[in-house]
């Protein structure tokens, strides 16, 4: 199986990694070494390695908000895996002509909401490293799977088909008439506060056609109006915009909204039409 | 236009990214996904993603000091872009047989001082993503431009020619006879203090032929002599050298000059010949 | 020599970088630019760039624990180099069909313990950048060497053969009967404490066949039993396991062992069979 897959001429697409491994250890480098041994010409891309430790929900959001920017055939390897070494399944998911390799712990659940999909369990020991540790399936199971997939190995070769994925438990924003109640889901590297309120929900309450009548309340601050860009706001004042992955975001032009407003993950956010 | 460019056989050179996006978000990964969709075999290199937020001057220094180490045909994508979403122009610059893609906010200004150059504005919507957000032109405008450039698309295809670039506003070191007055411009990851005093200025005052007669005053410390390497100095004492990008740098062998001397960005530095 | 090597059709293997350069400067990017100019199609992999500054011992551990995951022909470039600019030698080591490029300061010493090897000094100026700085041999000496190696240039072309490497000075764990005395060597990004106690030593005292009779004492904590995976332990209690690079590791399920137990690099660790 191995030698066959190495001779396959056409690669399927790039391999994109998403993990919570950070960058102070050689973990991500070892996964790339494994890929290089199986699929030497694969194009390997780092999507992000600083998902907050074991935050499956953030990883799922990063993946769901990023995949549309990657080409057909991309093989995503997502390793945020608090259950490594336990009975949780290792899977490969095929949805919308892209592949997703990782633990079945909810991380891929948002991807299958509105799409047809198929998935298999990774069982075939010939498509894993010969020694599989109990602590690092990213290197020993998921990276080899991605390498073999990149070489054209079929999904059926990996293991039996599965018919349901484990669900993802997340806090969702709620709508009540013209009001949305949500929370801060993530503080990015600029100090911008991402919320769990989607563009779709804002459209439902008419916020995009009445931008000036929107009020956003967060901590003790009231922001009037939904902005177009980071530069919409006045100096020394926060601005609310729809960000590049289509969530409501609280920003501060040339500063940190998180620091200036005291926002952190979990802070309540309320949107209404006046 | 898209399908033609994908069939172009010879790539122009690697694509090198310089941004202030950091690494806790999937922003850089999304840009690489876009490149992979347009120019699947392009060699993508991270020059640096931790330019201090919105510091156009530091990004310009990194770019100007690094480009000579990259081959002919390299396509640099520089996204330190506080004006994203406003009227500032998006441009492609061609200078010294390399390409530079990014906002026209001064970031490329140092590159054209002593060279002939040409540049165009990025206007053609067919060479951008179909939906361009107001907050993330790195992904929606600059990455696609770099991908198409890598495939051999001509500069003229992107938009109209421009005849001047926006200048870069920076504090420059000043020379007065045998004295140079400058400042610390950057603290690197070893705690070394980079200054805005160039090797060229040091040559002008004769510092390189009279190394032992040079005095460097920084905070309350006087450093006598211009060193050859980090190991020139005594233990537990600072050393002044010309660093690998040709600026005067204050270092501390096996320690942090920044911490030990209390240096930070903006600290005054004075050089004179005794 | 340069033009010949560029025409060599088959690349030897990927180039993998290990440094203490961090990621806030353009240093690593410049090294990659140099590689791209010499070996445009080389596959460049970041093993790790956050080795603690100038810790040759940690770099040696990362390299020795990672190389088996990389294919035959891999060219490792290891730059943790406190002696840059002094008389220490620059070398290329060939061991177990992989190459190692860097300073001869002990960083490669563990690799040659149980293997036949050969090595040369890097002397040929035609295989270095035309200007070699005294502060950045990673870019000016080691990256060019790796690029030329990737293109198939022979070891003999670089310089004279050498017969011994500089040793590595590290603290080793000690065994006395059924007791091992070691220490914490590294805290990883999850707060797990890696020790300098190897799986081989644990096998010697019979710890792997009597897992339940093993006691690990660290600071004021006693851990009973050697676990199988991070999930072996009870909630809110530490667990001791053999980690993915075959060292004893103290972890805390869903938390930081380092923070919860007050562990840091150098903390004593004692293992015994009851």
């Amino acid at each position: 199986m191995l030698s066959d897959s190495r001779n396959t001429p056409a690669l399927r697409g790039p391999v994109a990694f998403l993990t919570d491994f950070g960058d102070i250890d050689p973990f991500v480098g070892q996964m790339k070494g494994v890929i290089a041994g199986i699929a030497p010409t694969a194009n390997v891309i780092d999507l992000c390695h600083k998902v907050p430790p074991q935050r499956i929900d953030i990883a799922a959001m990063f993946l769901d908000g990023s995949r549309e920017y990657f080409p057909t055939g991309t093989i995503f390897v997502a390793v945020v895996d608090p259950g490594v070494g336990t009975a949780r399944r290792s899977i490969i998911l095929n949805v919308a002509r892209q592949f997703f390799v990782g633990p079945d712990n909810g991380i891929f659940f948002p991807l299958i909401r509105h799409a047809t999909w198929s998935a298999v369990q990774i069982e075939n020991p010939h498509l894993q490293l010969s020694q599989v540790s109990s602590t690092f399936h990213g290197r020993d199971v998921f990276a080899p799977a991605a390498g073999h997939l990149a070489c054209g190995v079929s999904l059926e070769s990996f293991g039996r088909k599965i018919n349901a994925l484990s669900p993802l438990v997340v806090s969702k924003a709620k709508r009540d008439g013209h009001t949305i109640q949500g929370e801060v889901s993530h503080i990015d590297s600029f100090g911008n506060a991402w919320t769990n309120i989607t563009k779709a929900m804002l459209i439902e309450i008419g916020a995009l056609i009445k931008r000036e009548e929107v009020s956003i309340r967060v901590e003790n601050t009231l922001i009037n109006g939904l902005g177009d860009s980071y530069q919409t706001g006045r100096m020394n004042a926060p601005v609310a915009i729809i960000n590049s992955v289509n969530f409501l975001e609280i920003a501060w032009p040339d500063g940190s909204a998180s620091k200036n407003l005291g926002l952190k993950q979990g802070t309540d956010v309320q949107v209404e039409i006046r």
Side-chain angles (χ1 to χ4, degrees), chain A:
Chain A
M1 178 63 74
L2 278 173
S3 58
D4 280 359
S5 66
R6 283 174 203 233
N7 295 330
T8 304
L11 288 178
R12 263 179 167 140
V15 175
F17 280 114
L18 177 69
T19 78
D20 62 354
F21 293 166
D23 56 9
I24 72 170
D25 308 295
F27 300 147
V28 171
Q30 289 175 11
M31 291 196 295
K32 291 178 180 172
V34 169
I35 299 268
I38 296 169
T41 61
N43 177 12
V44 177
I45 296 176
D46 298 301
L47 179 50
C48 185
H49 294 291
K50 293 203 173 163
V51 173
Q54 315 202 337
R55 286 291 304 268
I56 298 165
D57 58 331
I58 303 267
M61 184 176 78
F62 280 8
L63 204 54
D64 196 26
S66 299
R67 64 183 170 132
E68 71 177 289
Y69 300 104
F70 284 78
T72 295
T74 298
I75 298 158
F76 292 93
V77 182
V79 197
V80 176
D81 192 10
V84 64
T86 67
R88 69 102 188 85
R89 298 182 296 189
S90 298
I91 64 170
I92 303 173
L93 168 70
N94 183 358
V95 60
R97 295 192 293 162
Q98 294 176 322
F99 299 89
F100 299 85
V101 180
D104 178 32
N105 61 12
I107 198 167
F108 301 138
F109 193 71
L111 305 172
I112 63 169
R113 282 169 306 184
H114 310 296
T116 56
W117 57 276
S118 63
V120 297
Q121 203 165 335
I122 303 175
E123 297 169 315
N124 185 343
H126 300 295
L127 299 172
Q128 306 176 24
L129 293 198
S130 55
Q131 279 202 296
V132 173
S133 71
S134 59
T135 57
F136 193 2
H137 286 190
R139 181 193 64 202
D140 303 340
V141 177
F142 302 130
H148 292 300
L149 268 181
C151 293
V153 170
S154 70
L155 247 65
E156 298 71 42
S157 308
F158 288 91
R160 86 192 83 162
K161 209 168 169 177
I162 60 179
N163 298 311
L165 300 193
S166 294
L168 177 67
V169 184
V170 286
S171 78
K172 276 194 187 161
K174 281 173 197 147
R175 182 163 78 88
D176 179 11
H178 291 285
T179 303
I180 304 170
Q181 185 66 46
E183 63 180 41
V184 172
S185 56
H186 177 60
I187 304 293
D188 78 14
S189 56
F190 293 89
N192 302 324
W194 299 22
T195 75
N196 63 348
I197 299 171
T198 61
K199 182 178 180 180
M201 296 185 89
L202 292 169
I203 289 172
E204 282 175 27
I205 66 167
L208 268 73
I209 51 175
K210 304 179 201 164
R211 284 175 175 269
E212 281 159 34
E213 294 168 39
V214 176
S215 289
I216 297 103
R217 186 176 301 277
V218 58
E219 283 291 318
N220 301 315
T221 305
L222 184 69
I223 304 172
N224 285 314
L226 182 63
D228 272 324
S229 81
Y230 290 124
Q231 301 301 330
T232 308
R234 291 161 298 139
M235 287 307 293
N236 300 317
V239 60
I241 60 161
I242 295 171
N243 70 14
S244 49
V245 290
N246 289 329
F247 285 89
L248 180 71
E249 177 179 316
I250 316 297
W252 189 287
D254 302 319
S256 166
S258 166
K259 214 173 280 175
N260 292 339
L261 301 177
L263 309 184
K264 51 182 198 285
Q265 194 213 316
T267 300
D268 284 341
V269 181
Q270 196 177 30
V271 180
E272 58 182 358
I273 305 289
R274 283 190 304 271

